[in-house]
Amino acid sequence: MGLNMDGLLDSRNQALCKMNLSKHGRDTQLIVLIEECAELIKEASKTLRGYARPAKTREELVDVIVMAEELRLMTGLSMAEVNEMAAEKLTEALMKDGGEP
């Protein structure tokens, strides 16, 4: 899984995302996105409670990344827009409480 300016995933995985979207449809994939986010949240909570499962956390993270790419494709958001918005959000987070970017 490589990051590039064309998408969150490499071209082969992007093609699979498009096929998955076509096969299952927007609404079903939005439900899956919600479920995958919940599973990642659960693993983060377990980690904070002292029950870390690194392999499971990585698996759930990849599931969320795949679904995020499908959502990016659904919304027509370009990687240039993703990077621009990410830079704004990261800078904003660093500036909170008097920090410097």
Side-chain angles (χ1 to χ4, degrees):
M1 178 178 69
L3 178 64
N4 62 50
M5 287 305 292
D6 297 325
L8 300 174
L9 302 174
D10 63 25
S11 58
R12 181 181 66 88
N13 286 325
Q14 263 190 31
L16 292 170
C17 283
K18 288 175 184 176
M19 289 169 38
N20 216 23
L21 270 171
S22 179
K23 178 179 180 181
H24 298 292
R26 175 187 166 273
D27 290 352
T28 296
Q29 293 310 92
L30 288 172
I31 292 168
V32 173
L33 170 64
I34 292 165
E35 292 169 350
E36 297 301 349
C37 287
E39 290 171 6
L40 181 58
I41 290 166
K42 178 181 168 186
E43 290 307 314
S45 176
K46 285 181 178 285
T47 298
L48 288 173
R49 292 185 297 126
Y51 301 102
R53 302 186 306 175
K56 185 68 173 165
T57 300
R58 287 190 298 271
E59 176 185 334
E60 298 305 340
L61 176 59
V62 170
D63 289 345
V64 169
I65 290 170
V66 167
M67 297 314 299
E69 177 64 5
E70 288 192 19
L71 183 60
R72 187 190 71 77
L73 292 168
M74 279 186 243
T75 62
L77 186 66
S78 72
M79 282 308 296
E81 291 169 311
V82 169
N83 282 301
E84 183 179 320
M85 293 170 75
E88 290 172 10
K89 290 185 173 287
L90 290 165
T91 301
E92 189 177 293
L94 289 169
M95 296 292 286
K96 283 185 181 176
D97 301 322
E100 301 251 346

